[in-house]
Amino acid sequence: MQLWLCPLIAFLLGSIPFGLFIARMKGIDIRQHGSGNIGATNVLRVVGKKHGITCLILDALKGFIPVVIALNLVQIEGRKVGIPIPALDAFALHLPAAEQLTGQLVHVATALLAILGHNYSPWVGFKGGKGIATSAGVLLGLMPFAVVLLIAVWLLAFAITRYVSVASIAAAAALPLLTHVGARFHKGPDGRTLWEAGTWNKPLFVFSVVIAVLAIWKHRGNIQRLMNGTENRFQPKKKSNA
């Protein structure tokens, strides 16, 4: 049951359009303003900083929570669960190391469906956000150290360009590279790297490529505006002297 229940939970949680709900609480249909996107960036621009940050956190949790649940419900022998939830132990499926691929596929499918639920929510006509915040939440559950590096890439790209879209595209493009490098340097119990031992997480690498391509594809409108010189550059609000 856990093998299909985890991805299903992920899609349902991912599909909750928090940006739409937050904006409606202020009497705004976020789809009719700014970029028309229901993600945190558009909420921040249209509704305000506090609401944008709230949306960012909630969208990230939509990815983080189902992945943590999946890691606890489908466990692999010899692999520690990053964030253990003791209450789920009684319901956990324990797979032998020889079947690690099955567990990895479930974890990755859960992560992917959380993002797809956000990007193509059935509650808003199978439309949604660009999936950056939800992807960050997913990765925080699957590979937290990579998130730290991706944030650094995002901040560097943003500091140089002052474009949120460019920073997001740069972080997305860096993800497969970081996943590959992680397999090359992360060592297993036998002292060999996961790459040398052949036990590196192949589904996770494929997943990183898929969500990177998906994130960049969702930014195709931004890319076109960047090429046309019409993309909105982030400009901090000037304080009034009054």
Side-chain angles (χ1 to χ4, degrees), residues 135-173:
S135 296
V138 158
L139 294 173
L140 193 59
L142 287 175
M143 41 194 299
F145 183 65
V147 175
V148 176
L149 297 177
L150 290 174
I151 290 174
V153 171
W154 192 98
L155 290 174
L156 178 62
F158 180 71
I160 294 173
T161 68
R162 307 303 291 180
Y163 287 113
V164 172
S165 57
V166 171
S168 298
I169 291 169

Side-chain angles (χ1 to χ4, degrees), residues 42-63:
N42 199 39
V43 172
L44 185 148
R45 286 176 177 154
V46 175
V47 188
K49 182 178 180 180
K50 179 178 69 174
H51 299 89
I53 292 175
T54 300
C55 183
L56 176 69
I57 294 172
L58 290 173
D59 282 350
L61 287 174
K62 293 194 305 187

Side-chain angles (χ1 to χ4, degrees), residues 91-148:
F91 307 98
L93 173 65
H94 295 273
L95 297 173
E99 297 180 20
Q100 71 168 8
L101 181 61
T102 299
Q104 291 169 344
L105 286 171
V106 173
H107 301 156
V108 164
T110 299
L112 181 60
L113 282 172
I115 297 169
L116 291 177
H118 174 77
N119 288 1
Y120 305 101
S121 172
W123 315 118
V124 286
F126 290 96
K127 297 179 180 179
K130 293 183 172 70
I132 299 301
T134 304
S135 296
V138 158
L139 294 173
L140 193 59
L142 287 175
M143 41 194 299
F145 183 65
V147 175
V148 176

Side-chain angles (χ1 to χ4, degrees), residues 131-214:
I132 299 301
T134 304
S135 296
V138 158
L139 294 173
L140 193 59
L142 287 175
M143 41 194 299
F145 183 65
V147 175
V148 176
L149 297 177
L150 290 174
I151 290 174
V153 171
W154 192 98
L155 290 174
L156 178 62
F158 180 71
I160 294 173
T161 68
R162 307 303 291 180
Y163 287 113
V164 172
S165 57
V166 171
S168 298
I169 291 169
L175 176 59
L177 177 61
L178 292 177
T179 306
H180 176 75
V181 171
R184 289 279 190 176
F185 287 92
H186 187 76
K187 293 186 177 181
D190 60 358
R192 293 185 298 168
T193 66
L194 298 180
W195 185 270
E196 291 171 334
T199 57
W200 59 287
N201 196 329
K202 301 173 184 66
L204 182 60
F205 177 72
V206 174
F207 168 73
S208 71
V209 173
V210 170
I211 65 169
V213 171
L214 183 62

